Structure formats: structure tokens, C-alpha cells
Amino acid sequence: MGVDLRQVVAGILTITMFVMLGQMLHRDYFDSLQEKAQGDAHDIEFEGSRVSVKDSLVGALEGSKGPWMDDNNDLNPCWPTLLSDEAVSSKGYVTFSLTNGPEYHISQITDAVMVAKHLGATLVLPDIRGSKPGDERNFEDIYDADKLIKSLEKVIKVVKQLPEEVSLRDMAIIKVPTRVTEDYIKENIDPIFKSKGNIRVATYFPSVNLRKSSQDGETDPVACLAMFGSLELQPELNAVVESMVERLRTHSRKLGDRFIAVDLRIDLLEKKHCHSTGVVGSKTCYNAQEIALFLRKLGFAGDTTIYLTQPRWDSSLDILKDIFPKTFTKEAIFPASKKSKYLESESSEYENVIDFYISSRSDVFVPAISGLFYANIVGKRIALGKPQVLVPAEISETSGLATDFISPYISKKNHLAYSCFC
């Protein structure tokens, strides 16, 4: 009688899991105490994740199977009462592009709206540019243009296209730091705008830190509206995401329709090398095996449903599926009728956006990779009342409490989103 080697491996892992963890991770550490102040979206590091949860931010679900927690819908948008009733003026145009994926789009939209608002200019809907040359899409291919225009109508005027008489070639191109302020706009951008009449802005990231700063004072309500109240998926793409979420919940009927989303991408793991940050129990990223052991030590059952952001299945993920058989990448749960349009296209932009919104709506989010994707998912989840974001770390004991690994953005309430919700 033949022996299934994968079953043998799974059995050994189950029996010797804790020993393996100690052997495998004894020299690997995860989090730094500070996020890096510069770099691209994948340079941001986790803060120390082993912190206590206070003020009843989250609560365990009674009688549930595993360490699942309640959603928290106590927060509401602060900005509606803070927005002024000033008439929207319009003198000249501000143009821009969305680039590098949805985690960047949020900041780029916010900064462009802030610039247009404080210049009294009309904002032109952006195009969307992928990482490959020639990979360009209309805003309406991914996002809901009418929703954005309607949501901002009391703040700025938004048009879908530039008038024919306005030439892009005559526009001054201005680099704008993310989280741009009214003072910065008046001092550095307004003189150029008055001289040129129309400008094109490009957001750059001197810092990818999304923590609140006590030096910033109150966040501009216009920025809050742009960041959390303007950008939604266009109806067809949103329906695809909803279908995939429902499919994942269908696999989790015995666990109350709950599932975990894990941001784990093989190409990024290979680039980052998951090096130590110098803080005990912390490093910059985790592989599939380490994530599986982390979740099992927290008490998630073997029949837990897991969604991975990895584009296609890779053999390195097999060990995760051995421990959690209901582990899926998007091609396994994608609506068949939409695959040719969204999954089999040459552009990865659709897939990145789908990953972002599924990770925002999952019951638990686990960022196996540090980066701006993680930071902006946290902001989105705060807005949606879904605080269970578990930052991986070495668990030296035989088991751990999920509440010890809640993202510091949430446990310390220091994410920028907490300036916009109250």
C-alpha cells in the first residue's frame, strides 16, 4: 500500500510543530519599533506587534471556534461636520495619474484633491498606469467615477476630461509630498499655479509612515473625505470582489462564514529575504510555513479558510495548504465568466485591486509582508470597523493569544485613520 508523502509531512508538522518553530525561527526576528522614514511601498516595517489591547478595541466571539473577534462599528466619520460650506470656485485645472497599485492610489487621490481644493482649481479624473510600459487604463475601468464626483461636489469641481483647448504639454509638473498640507500648497504650489494657470501633480513618498503625528494637529477634513469617502470600485469589479468574498464564506460555514486574508506574495518575499529587524521575535516578512505555524499557535482550526494575495499557486505554498487545506489563491475562486476580462489580461492592476479590497473585507487580515499595502489596508479596515489585523511574530510559548498580535496601528490607535473617525 502506497504512502502519501504529503499526508506524512502534514502529520509530522502537526505533532512536532512547536519544536520546528523553535528550530526554524530562533535566529529570525520580525518587527522594528519604528517604521522606516523613507523608501518605497515595501520598505515600511511593522512596529513591535506584541502589545496589549486596551479600551475594548476588540472582543473575542463567545462560543466561536478559534480566536475570532467581533467587528467594531463604534467609529463614525468626523469630517462631515468639519467641512466648510464655501462655494466651490474653479480657476484652472489640476491633473494627475494613479500609479503603482491601490495602496498608492489612496494617497494620490487625497493629495490631488487637497491641491485642487486649496488652489480653487478644477480636478481632472486621472488615468491609471501600471508598472509595465504602455499599461494604461481609464479611471472608470477600475473605480466609480460618478461616486467620486458626487462625493466631492461640495469641496471641489471634478471633470472627466480636460477641455480641448487646454494642452497637457503646457502644464507645469509639480512633485507633491504625500500628506501635503494647506501651508505647503500655499507656499510652494500656489505661485506656480498662478503663473501657469494649470498644473500636473505627482505624489512622492518621502515617508511611508501612516501613523498619526502629534505635530500635525487635526487632519484636514478634506483629506479625510478624499481618503475614506470618495474612492470605490466600479460596479462590475465590485461585484467580482463580492462574489469572491461570498465564495470564501461558503467554504467557512462551520466557522460562522469567517475567513482570513494573508498578504503573501512569493516575488516580494524573494526580494526582501525576510531579514531580522533586531527586535526579538520580529523580522520584515514571513514565508508560507511560518504563517501556517503562527496561525495554528494562535488557535485557528485546520478547517479555517484562507485567501492568499499570491497571484497563482506556487509549490512553496503547499505546506500551508497541508495545515490549512482550505487555502486559496484567486484563480480557484474567481467567477468563471469574468476570468478573461480581469484575471487573464496582461495587466496585473485588476488583480492588485481585487487583493486590496478582499483583504479589507476579510474577517482577519495577516500581513506576511511589511509595506504600504499593509498600512493602507489597516486604514481601510478601521473605516469598515474590522480591527482584527494580526501582525506575525515568533511565539516562543506553546500557544499565543491573538490579542497580543493586533497591529499597533489599531491597539495604540495611532493610525492616521483615527484622525478621521471618532
Side-chain angles (χ1 to χ4, degrees):
M1 182 175 178
V3 178
D4 188 332
L5 292 178
R6 289 181 60 172
Q7 289 183 349
V8 172
V9 171
I12 293 173
L13 281 170
T14 301
I15 297 172
T16 64
M17 179 167 47
F18 305 137
V19 175
M20 286 177 61
L21 184 63
Q23 293 173 338
M24 180 175 60
L25 300 179
H26 71 282
R27 63 181 181 276
D28 293 329
Y29 306 100
F30 189 59
D31 283 2
S32 66
L33 293 176
Q34 299 288 333
E35 293 173 343
K36 290 182 179 178
Q38 59 186 1
D40 64 20
H42 306 301
D43 285 336
I44 186 172
E45 294 183 356
F46 298 113
E47 298 182 28
S49 60
R50 193 174 178 81
V51 293
S52 298
V53 178
K54 299 179 181 179
D55 302 325
S56 300
L57 288 177
V58 292
L61 288 175
E62 295 183 4
S64 64
K65 188 178 182 182
W68 305 93
M69 299 176 185
D70 283 315
D71 287 350
N72 185 334
N73 297 311
D74 293 340
L75 298 177
N76 295 296
C78 305
W79 65 83
T81 59
L82 299 176
L83 292 172
S84 67
D85 294 326
E86 297 176 5
V88 177
S89 59
S90 180
K91 50 181 181 181
Y93 294 89
V94 172
T95 69
F96 67 112
S97 293
L98 298 181
T99 61
N100 299 322
E103 64 269 36
Y104 281 95
H105 296 174
I106 293 173
S107 296
Q108 290 163 343
I109 284 281
T110 302
D111 294 329
V113 169
M114 284 285 289
V115 170
K117 166 63 178 176
H118 293 296
L119 294 180
T122 295
L123 185 68
V124 181
L125 279 185
D127 59 350
I128 299 175
R129 302 184 181 186
S131 57
K132 299 177 182 178
D135 184 6
E136 297 184 13
R137 298 191 177 278
N138 295 324
F139 181 84
E140 292 161 291
D141 290 340
I142 292 179
Y143 296 111
D144 189 330
D146 293 334
K147 160 66 179 177
L148 183 136
I149 293 171
K150 179 70 175 176
S151 66
L152 296 174
E153 65 181 1
K154 293 184 179 181
V155 175
I156 57 171
K157 181 180 179 180
V158 183
V159 296
K160 293 185 177 181
Q161 293 180 330
L162 270 176
E164 292 183 0
E165 63 270 18
V166 180
S167 173
L168 283 172
R169 286 182 291 183
D170 297 332
M171 288 190 177
I173 299 175
I174 303 175
K175 290 186 176 181
V176 178
T178 188
R179 298 173 68 173
V180 67
T181 63
E182 181 178 359
D183 289 342
Y184 183 95
I185 293 168
K186 289 181 177 179
E187 182 177 345
N188 298 281
I189 303 177
D190 189 51
I192 301 174
F193 180 72
K194 288 178 177 178
S195 172
K196 292 290 186 178
N198 305 295
I199 60 172
R200 181 171 181 81
V201 298
T203 296
Y204 70 95
F205 291 76
S207 168
V208 288
N209 173 17
L210 292 187
R211 292 197 302 270
K212 289 193 301 183
S213 172
S214 58
Q215 297 177 349
D216 291 342
E218 292 185 358
T219 300
D220 192 309
V222 173
C224 289
L225 170 62
M227 184 174 292
F228 296 108
S230 68
L231 203 58
E232 291 186 3
L233 296 179
Q234 51 96 338
E236 184 181 63
L237 189 54
N238 186 63
V240 169
V241 171
E242 292 291 351
S243 173
M244 295 173 72
V245 168
E246 179 56 32
R247 184 85 177 270
L248 291 163
R249 296 199 186 285
T250 299
H251 285 286
S252 306
R253 294 304 187 207
K254 293 182 180 179
L255 294 174
D257 301 343
R258 297 185 291 270
F259 73 96
I260 299 173
V262 179
D263 180 31
L264 191 159
R265 288 165 280 175
I266 303 302
D267 61 329
L268 295 184
L269 289 177
E270 291 174 348
K271 291 177 183 178
K272 291 178 73 69
H273 304 296
C274 300
H275 60 272
S276 167
T277 66
V279 177
V280 176
S282 303
K283 59 179 188 174
T284 56
C285 53
Y286 274 81
N287 63 34
Q289 182 169 321
E290 293 163 336
I291 289 295
L293 297 176
F294 172 71
L295 292 175
R296 286 296 283 151
K297 276 205 168 187
L298 291 185
F300 287 99
D303 59 349
T304 297
T305 299
I306 297 176
Y307 174 80
L308 301 178
T309 58
Q310 166 66 17
R312 302 295 181 272
W313 194 263
D314 185 87
S315 60
S316 64
L317 304 174
D318 289 347
I319 196 164
L320 178 56
K321 199 172 185 69
D322 287 336
I323 298 175
F324 296 99
K326 295 180 181 180
T327 298
F328 303 98
T329 51
K330 62 181 64 62
E331 76 272 18
I333 59 170
F334 211 91
S337 62
K338 301 298 181 182
K339 280 188 176 182
S340 61
K341 181 173 183 179
Y342 294 116
L343 195 60
E344 297 170 359
S345 67
E346 294 183 1
S347 172
S348 62
E349 202 66 32
Y350 286 131
E351 297 189 35
N352 293 339
V353 169
I354 288 168
D355 287 335
F356 187 87
Y357 281 85
I358 290 179
S359 297
S360 299
R361 300 177 191 182
S362 64
D363 298 277
V364 177
F365 175 61
V366 178
I369 306 165
S370 58
L372 192 59
F373 188 94
Y374 151 64
N376 268 317
I377 287 291
V378 173
K380 193 78 172 174
R381 294 180 67 91
I382 291 170
L384 295 173
K386 292 182 171 293
Q388 198 170 8
V389 178
L390 303 179
V391 174
E394 178 185 1
I395 302 176
S396 58
E397 296 84 4
T398 57
S399 63
L401 293 175
T403 50
D404 286 339
F405 298 92
I406 294 291
S407 167
Y409 274 135
I410 292 172
S411 62
K412 296 179 181 179
K413 288 190 174 182
N414 66 6
H415 193 282
L416 177 63
Y418 285 111
S419 297
C420 297
F421 291 86
C422 49

